[in-house]
Amino acid sequence: MIPWVTVWGYGAEIKSTRDSLIVRQKGNTTQYPLDDMRHLLIAGGHSLHTSVLERLADRGIAVSFFKAHGKPVGGIYGKGAPSLAAQQRDIPVHKFAMASIRSSLDERLRYINELAEYDPEGLYFKGEFDILTAAREELEYLITLPEIGRAFSLTKTMYYEIIGRKLPKVLGYRRRCQPPFMDPVNVMMSHGYAVLYANFALACTGAGLDLSRGALYGAIVSAPGGRGGCVLDLMEPATVSMIDRVIIQMAAEGRLDGAYEVTSRCLLSNELKEEFMKRLHGSINATLISENVNRYAESVKDGRDIVFHY
């Protein structure tokens, strides 16, 4: 079974026969048996035959659409459980947003502390560790939504700057930024987060959740393009273990060296994209995603506290 098939960039022609998906791009043709597919991810500008969507829908294969840099546009995910949209409108925003922030910050602190153990020169700048740990301790006392938003944005920004110190300077990464991306790390993050988003969106649909109604994203922090707040809330704690670790490991192995070019934006080589997607097949845990999404859905139904486990 192929967890997902990705078509990135521009200019691909996406067709299908009765039994196969056919992708023609840059002179190469690849066929994927429909019986082995679960999800198609399309990012950028391509030619898509309408018969493809009909055949995929008939077989229950999901389709996710993104802009070229990974911003979600929409998706076709089929029918899920009975809708929880009405219950989502009534959830306490503070409690559900805090669940996402707390789990996200815990995952990020755990990872950068792990990286710091193997950094003889010291990963933290003066005072950074104290700021992050103090922010984690103060989460329990934050009351207003603007306070929560500021704490979330501060700690997330610091995290992306700190992990950059473990990456070779030649890659040009300094922090998470807006497109167009001029370094391979930001490109890989955006591609990886898009794949993760698609997996969470599929699970959220299956659980009956309204993808657009977030507690953290949308209510407190702007959701990219105003879409997918619920999906972003749920995937936020998973980005470290399922995406960021893979990218930093590949960089440490030298897999990014010479595998990209920078013109008006950074372009990854086909070999690097294929290797990255192959590794994501191993790091993105669909079972764990479903467990956390279903736990969240049950909390929406009965009001129980929610804790994410990644």
Side-chain angles (χ1 to χ4, degrees):
M1 179 64 68
I2 305 170
W4 61 81
V5 171
T6 56
V7 183
W8 299 96
Y10 296 92
E13 181 183 20
I14 306 171
K15 302 172 62 176
S16 68
T17 64
R18 185 182 301 274
D19 299 312
S20 299
L21 180 77
I22 303 170
V23 180
R24 293 175 179 157
Q25 189 173 27
K26 296 181 178 179
N28 297 316
T29 300
T30 307
Q31 293 194 37
Y32 303 93
L34 293 179
D35 285 342
D36 292 341
M37 285 183 57
R38 182 170 179 262
H39 203 157
L40 172 63
L41 282 64
I42 304 174
H46 308 284
S47 172
L48 175 65
H49 291 232
T50 54
S51 60
V52 173
L53 298 179
E54 182 179 1
R55 287 198 171 101
L56 296 182
D58 286 344
R59 293 173 180 259
I61 299 170
V63 185
S64 295
F65 300 96
F66 302 87
K67 293 188 176 181
H69 51 73
K71 181 181 290 186
V73 174
I76 302 171
Y77 303 113
K79 295 181 180 180
S83 175
L84 296 174
Q87 291 96 315
Q88 283 179 267
R89 285 195 293 270
D90 297 327
I91 62 174
V93 170
H94 183 284
K95 181 176 80 171
F96 280 73
M98 287 297 294
S100 180
I101 293 172
R102 188 181 298 113
S103 297
S104 302
L105 183 52
D106 285 348
E107 290 292 324
R108 287 171 177 144
L109 279 171
R110 187 177 299 115
Y111 184 44
I112 56 180
N113 284 336
E114 176 185 320
L115 293 175
E117 290 181 6
Y118 301 98
D119 192 328
E121 298 180 0
L123 189 64
Y124 291 109
F125 289 164
K126 184 177 180 180
E128 284 182 326
F129 178 77
D130 293 337
I131 291 172
L132 287 170
T133 53
R136 176 62 181 87
E137 293 170 359
E138 291 170 2
L139 284 181
E140 312 301 328
Y141 305 100
L142 299 181
I143 298 175
T144 69
L145 299 186
E147 286 177 332
I148 295 173
R150 284 193 293 271
F152 174 70
S153 297
L154 169 67
T155 54
K156 185 174 181 177
T157 298
M158 289 182 65
Y159 162 78
Y160 280 115
E161 291 182 353
I162 290 169
I163 63 172
R165 298 166 202 161
K166 291 297 293 183
L167 295 164
K169 289 183 172 55
V170 70
L171 297 178
Y173 173 87
R174 297 294 178 269
R175 61 184 62 83
R176 194 79 176 107
C177 63
Q178 296 297 316
F181 304 120
M182 303 304 291
D183 68 90
V185 175
N186 267 300
V187 175
M188 293 174 73
M189 284 178 174
S190 287
H191 284 191
Y193 296 161
V195 174
L196 191 61
Y197 179 98
N199 278 269
F200 270 95
L202 184 59
C204 286
T205 299
L209 292 164
D210 180 347
L211 307 190
S212 65
R213 189 167 293 278
L216 170 60
Y217 280 96
I220 300 177
V221 179
S222 296
R227 297 181 176 91
C230 179
V231 182
L232 295 168
D233 281 3
L234 283 155
M235 67 174 269
E236 187 73 31
T239 55
V240 174
S241 61
M242 298 191 186
I243 307 298
D244 298 350
R245 281 181 177 272
V246 174
I247 296 171
I248 290 182
Q249 181 62 38
M250 290 181 69
E253 295 171 3
R255 304 293 292 180
L256 280 61
D257 299 349
Y260 63 94
E261 62 175 319
V262 180
T263 53
S264 59
R265 58 192 175 95
C266 181
L267 300 172
L268 307 182
S269 69
N270 289 333
E271 293 75 16
L272 178 56
K273 286 189 287 188
E274 290 172 4
E275 175 67 16
F276 184 39
M277 289 300 140
K278 179 180 178 181
R279 296 201 188 197
L280 291 186
H281 285 161
S283 68
I284 294 180
N285 188 325
T287 300
L288 195 56
I289 289 172
S290 293
E291 289 174 357
N292 280 280
V293 169
N294 289 332
R295 191 178 298 117
Y296 186 90
E298 290 301 317
S299 183
V300 168
K301 292 176 186 176
D302 59 25
R304 74 181 72 172
D305 289 339
I306 173 70
V307 178
F308 300 111
H309 298 291
Y310 292 108

